[in-house]
Amino acid sequence: MPRVTINGKVVEVPAGTSVMDAIFHAGDDVPLFCSERYLSPVGACRMCLVKVGNPRKGPDGNWILDENGTPKIFWMPKMQASCVTAVSDGMVVDTLSDEVKHAQSGMVELTLANHPLDCPTCDKGGACELQDRSYEYGLYEKFYQPNPAELPLYTRFELTRRHEDKHHPLSAFIVLDRERCIHCKRCVRYFEEIPGDEVLDFIERGVHTFIGTDDEGLPSNFTGNITDICPVGALLDLTARFRARNWEYDVTETTSMDDAAGAGILADARSGKLERIRAALRPQTSQIWISDAARFGHEWVNQDRVLGPLVRKGGKLAPASWEEAAAAIKAGLGGIGKAEIGIYLDGKATLEEGLAAALLADTLGTPHKDFAGRTAALASGFAPATFQDLSEAQFTLILGDPSEEAPTLHPRLSEYSRGLKPPAPLNHGIPLADLSIKERMERDKRRLAHFNTYPAQLFKWAGASGVCAPGQEAAVLAALLGQGEAPQGLADAIAWTKTRWSEAERAVLILGAGVLNNPDAAAKARALAEQKGAKVMAMTPAANARGLEAVGLYPGKGGLDWTQAGLKAAYFGYLPTEEQLQQTGFRILHLTHLSPLAARYADVVLPNQTFYEKRGTTVNLEGRVLELQPAGINNGEADGAVAALALLADAVGVKPPVRLLRQAARLLEERHRLPKPFGLWRPQVSPSVPSPRPAGLGNLYLKPSMWRREQLVDEVARAVRLHLEAHPETARAEGLLEGATVELETPAGPLSATVRLDDRLPKGFLFAPALGPWVGQTVAARVLVPAGGEG
Amino acid sequence: MSAPVFSGPIVSGRDPRFERTLYKHVGVKDSWTLEYYLSHGGYGAAKKALAMTPEQVVEEVKKSGLRGRGGAGFPTGLKWSFMPKPSGKQHYIVCNADESEPGSFKDRYLMEDDPHQLIEGMIIAGYAIHATKGYIYIRGEYRRAYDRLIGAIQEAYAKGYLGQNLFALGFSFDLYVHRGAGAYICGEETALMNSLEGLRANPRLKPPFPAQAGLWGKPTTINNVESLCSVVHILDRGADWFALMGTEKSKGHKLYQVSGPFKRPGVYELPMGTTFRELLYDWAGGPTEPIQAIIPGGSSCPPLPWNDDTLDTPMDYESLVAKGSLLGTGGVIGIPASMSMVDAMWNVTRFYGHESCGKCTPCREGVSGWMVGLFEKIGTGRGRPGDVELLEDLLDQIEGRSFCALADAACWPVRGSLKHFREQYVDLVENARAVERTVPRWR
Amino acid sequence: MGFFDDKQEWLAEVFSQYPPEGRRAALMPLLRRVQQEEGWISPLRQEEIAQLVGTTATEVAGVMSFYTYFQSLPTGKYHLQVCATLSCAIGGADELWDELVQTLGILQGEVTPDGLFSIQKVECLGSCHTAPVVQVGDEPYVECVTKARLHALLQGLREGKRLEEIRLPGKAGHVVHNAGDEVVA
């Protein structure tokens, strides 16, 4: 490894490391604006200029020595941008001389020249890289004001500052202040390199250059990340605008349960309200990228919460004490056999909650236990692939839609399609200027094949792709296994995929809920994977599917699963469908919000926590154990399932097997050998295959959406367009007109959607966003076309 | 002056041994046709080159001492030798015909009146670096040059001088013309490649150098029009013929350009090392009004005061560096005494400010923003004491710190003017006086 | 109807000049074609070009706005571009510009009411020895533009003459001094 001397300190760093990272690795500092982790270094801001020298070899092949007999250092005539200069053995770097300091302070002055001084009203204030670097490196006094008697000089720029659009909404969620932009180009590079949508670019040139888009509303589901990486307050999160100063936030690093990949998030709360979500650095999963749903869909948490227990009195739900709730449960369960009580958790429940539920079910002797979104074929039935496995795979086959089903995967697949390996951390963590990343890298389409029930975003990076009808996934897999004919129109794509699959030494299979909910397809997928020891990423609708399965939270013999109904009594950690509520005798709902449906059917409502408020662990689709930490959100008396289920146990007169979170954690460690956070957990899950989902119920296909029903409030409700999509022929048969607004009944509740026709969709199906755990299932369509509902 | 004695290297256009080659046919009726070109020995050099090995061609060009005529003066043969060995990858030869440096207009007539000369140069260069495809990136405004090039390329294809198996010597070569659309930065070779690829013409990071990963990531060499045309004559007459002209490190002939108030402004083909005096008096006919300074090689070169010392300076790379300036593209601009030096530099700064691509901070904020603003302030009589020092300080903050050389090119002329004509700046700021524009300049 | 719908052959010819991975290189030729024929490049055309070369309208706008030649606002039938850089400034480009503004009664960005003229100051056109220089649209330069020649040019254009048909007083075209021999081409 090259040895480099940084300000007199010798460090060893891997070949190809940037000088910038070598400086940080050595424990020194260098200012920067344009470099960002996981993005290509470009050397544009010129803040990181340093002096670089190298020894040279003479014609005799030996080092040229100086008068002291050590290799003579030949300094480069110009200072170099350390972010785009690679280290070499024997290199000497200086970041402390007056020459370097002068360059740094000069660049601060130039960067500030046209930057407005509106820090007091800027949301980035206090967390602004430009502010920080100005304080640290803007040494005006030292260089431009030698006379200490004079007042401090902060800039010599006295011309009129550039005036530009200060409130330019880029989308419903992001506002651009063009005056504050310092042209670091992080956002432009981000869109090209990470989501792969070139929807933002520089317009004009020279001092008139500004950021703009000609495409309406940033057509991407990964737009919010630019508000994190913007070094100044030019790109701001509109959902959090003017909510608080940065130092007032109560910042909690936790795990997003928005998908099964386990993205790291920072939940910023103030005065008991969740005001902002940002991406946390989590190299194992999300790196620094989260989906728009995970970022912007937080407003619902603060609204109309169930703050205490509610009990039905005289036909109406009324606030009650926990004791009254316990008494009501006891009364309601009277005469019902313990084995007839169902326990159903939400798919975002923690491992601790899952364990409490599974153990209580055992204690009660009930086979009726499950979690919402559990797939017909258990995710645990597949050998899980890690993101490391993905980056090392020569070929990846996707059946599903990662961008919507597990959006965290999309940026990782972007990394994969560019042939990049996740960077190795240095002393200071993830490299700030990873020279292996370049602008506009070619995407290697030979590494990816993609099939889905509709054209997915990531088809663009796949060498072969195709649309199959819902339910036809098994046929695609059969053809790949050589057990059947390829579905119509997919012969070429499947033939190519088959060859690539067999050629690849290491392969990864990514499966969506469409396959996982189809036992036949799932079995074939497993056969395909096992054929060559390929690992699988199962994009389960439930964020903690692997964890909840591992503690046994799925129906026992004769038990009803979460999609069925007909019990005398049940505890639901979420809002089930109206049909299920109707067919359940006594209904205990453990909810964060009271919907009209809950108000109508619940016998007892207990206040629940959102995942932002939970402490515990979850297991992502890699089998990785991840932590949840509670953010400072005011949720009244809300408590998690561990407490609610203990209450239930007490009410039916059994000793709750788990009463405390800590107890659950200890059991997990002792009985299940749960590793520490970030460790991989690969428990054996009993192979008993639960009852298959009844298929072919109807023609409404619930397609994945990164958004959940409950998130659709306020700005999100206005911004997220819901569509009922169909092939034009199918639409004609169903009497649906393009652009018409229709009302539909879905398991996630009633929706209002706009009809959109797409001739690439399979005929015979209607496509509606699932917005919840019923992803990838086909249900009977209940579409109401209001009279005159066009437009 | 006593009668000159001509011996040793050729350093004067009056030396009887000197013969014009590059511009020999410029201005002649129908000189741009293939028929005319062939009747004057056209494509002979290409045939000769294709009978040699590519390595021999590179060697010959190296031996001639030819340095890039686009302004930077990098040895052409050496540049070619950076190209990798053939490996099945497509190689590209690109001609930089984006002549946009103010004061430069030599390449224009090479393309307008002798397009086949350039095509022949492209074939030879393509052969030398194993490139079977070539692009001429021509500045968008050169309409006539574009039309003539397209015509010439069609003629060449029809005759089999382009396309498959040229001259039955086994080498195939396709040539295309790509038009720019008005951006000085496209003269920077990596920005040119971005522009050709249909991207914003921001310069690219180096490394990778174009020879490693250029156009569409493939090995690429970019040469100036004049360089490529010179190659034709080097191959035709031999490296020794070329090396006999010029000074020790600046070999060959060069197209010098004269603009400003001179009797005969235009393009002059002269040996390297010819003095300014010979160019400006003997060939360009001397000034038509008092001159205070010349910009020796296109607007990015620091101006030199109009005096005997300057006039007797040989026009080659080294002599001009020694004088604190640069040879650049050899485009000499005379600045009349009736125009304020500050006004001239304001114009030049505005040019660079307009042409800054906006990628890096010092150029965008420094050149395009602050320097232009400061010149406007001083030039309109709103300057204050201290502004000249501030300008000098700004130059220190910008020069050598930008992403590409454009910001440097903007700083050099201003710095040169401050070195020789500081009193003109001081006069304006001390007296809060605007630059005078009372002298009518338009005829 | 799209601008390029009836220009498929020309499109194929343009695309054939670049390798398959370089489809985007056709961006500038396509922009130029629209600019030449329509005098500006409307958002609709930008969208169409984006689709043809396989990129987004934003990228097209980014590229288009980078270059002086491409206009995002409609121009006159004759778009007069006046070089304003040093040699032309020494040759009187400022006065020429003022004359043009006064004669036509428009400023940069405007079009004469008859739709004939629009004007733009541009940077160095590369004809410093024949300063001052004016370029009409995408035509070869009008050089050594004296006051008389400017007015003859405007008159000729008003009469609907093609540029090469207009007789300008004084030197007829470009001047090259080929090492002593004055050549008038």
Side-chain angles (χ1 to χ4, degrees), chain A residues 41-47 49 78-79 84 99 102-107 109-111 113-114 143-144 155-159 162 181-185 198 201-209 435 438-440 442, chain B residues 182-185 199-200 202 205-208 216 218 353-362 364-366 368-374 377 382 384 387 389-390 393-394 396-398 400-405 408:
Chain A
V42 287
C45 75
R46 316 306 286 173
M47 261 319 290
L49 294 179
K78 287 181 182 181
M79 279 177 270
V84 290
E99 194 184 341
H102 181 263
Q104 292 166 340
S105 62
M107 223 52 75
E109 188 179 26
L110 288 171
T111 309
N114 277 304
F143 292 107
Y144 311 127
T155 180
R156 296 167 297 168
F157 186 83
E158 49 171 33
L159 308 170
R162 182 173 56 234
C181 175
I182 59 167
H183 305 85
C184 69
K185 212 186 171 188
E198 298 182 65
D201 200 1
F202 281 138
I203 313 284
E204 299 289 338
R205 71 184 188 205
V207 77
H208 307 293
T209 311
L435 291 171
K438 312 255 187 289
E439 279 191 280
R440 296 186 172 277
E442 206 180 314
Chain B
Y184 168 79
I185 188 69
L199 304 170
R200 285 170 65 81
N202 299 118
L205 273 179
K206 287 192 268 190
W216 299 295
K218 305 293 192 300
H354 183 260
E355 300 299 338
S356 163
C357 82
K359 174 172 180 156
C360 75
T361 310
R364 182 185 63 250
E365 305 295 340
S368 192
W370 204 340
M371 268 174 74
V372 173
L374 199 53
K377 185 185 172 206
R382 294 178 291 126
R384 283 196 320 215
D387 280 351
E389 290 74 14
L390 175 59
D393 229 55
L394 261 182
D396 287 342
Q397 261 168 230
I398 297 165
R401 295 175 183 178
S402 55
F403 188 90
C404 78
D408 293 344

Side-chain angles (χ1 to χ4, degrees), chain B residues 20 23-24 26-28 92 100-105 108-109 112-113 135 137 139-144 176-183 185-186 195-202 216 218 258-261 263-269 283 295 333-336 339 344 347-348 350-351 354-355 357 437 439-443, chain C residues 16-19 21-29 32 36 59 61-63 65-70 81 84-87 89-96 99 121-132 135 138-141 143-148 150-151 171 174-185:
Chain B
R20 279 180 281 118
Y23 257 43
K24 189 169 185 175
V26 167
V28 179
Y92 291 105
S100 338
E101 176 90 357
S104 311
F105 40 90
R108 175 179 159 197
Y109 296 109
E112 284 186 3
D113 287 5
Y135 290 93
Y137 184 100
R139 64 172 298 171
E141 296 77 8
Y142 278 0
R143 173 63 190 272
R144 181 172 285 125
Y176 309 101
V177 185
H178 186 94
R179 293 181 80 182
I185 188 69
C186 294
S195 179
L196 214 164
E197 289 184 20
L199 304 170
R200 285 170 65 81
N202 299 118
W216 299 295
K218 305 293 192 300
V258 180
S259 63
K263 277 205 191 79
R264 289 192 299 274
V267 187
Y268 297 92
E269 180 179 351
W283 302 109
I295 292 181
I333 308 173
I335 299 172
M339 184 186 218
N347 185 296
V348 169
R350 192 207 60 221
F351 170 82
H354 183 260
E355 300 299 338
C357 82
R437 285 181 178 163
V439 183
R441 308 207 163 274
W442 197 31
R443 291 152 293 171
Chain C
S16 75
Q17 302 192 359
Y18 307 101
E21 70 269 26
R23 199 169 166 81
R24 199 177 153 151
L27 188 46
M28 274 169 65
R32 178 171 284 276
Q36 278 170 339
E59 288 284 310
V63 171
S65 63
F66 193 91
Y67 299 96
T68 319
Y69 177 67
F70 304 129
Q81 297 144 95
T85 315
L86 190 55
S87 296
I90 293 170
D94 278 359
E95 289 147 79
L96 188 160
E99 180 81 11
K121 261 192 195 180
V122 295
E123 298 295 352
C124 189
L125 288 173
S127 197
C128 310
H129 57 317
T130 60
Q135 186 175 23
D138 189 27
E139 299 297 314
Y141 302 151
E143 299 169 75
C144 305
V145 185
T146 56
K147 200 166 185 169
L150 179 69
H151 284 286
K171 285 175 187 163
H174 68 271
V175 184
V176 189
H177 295 280
N178 188 354
D181 319 324
E182 181 164 324
V183 178
V184 178

Side-chain angles (χ1 to χ4, degrees), chain A residues 11 13 39 41 200 225 241 274 298 344 359 373 403 603 614 631 643 665 668 686 699 709 777:
Chain A
V11 290
V13 286
L39 292 182
L200 211 56
N225 292 315
R241 205 176 190 204
L274 178 62
H298 60 77
Y344 299 97
L359 291 178
S403 312
D603 293 297
K614 284 182 183 172
L668 284 167
S686 134
N699 71 340
R709 185 77 171 91
Q777 308 206 31

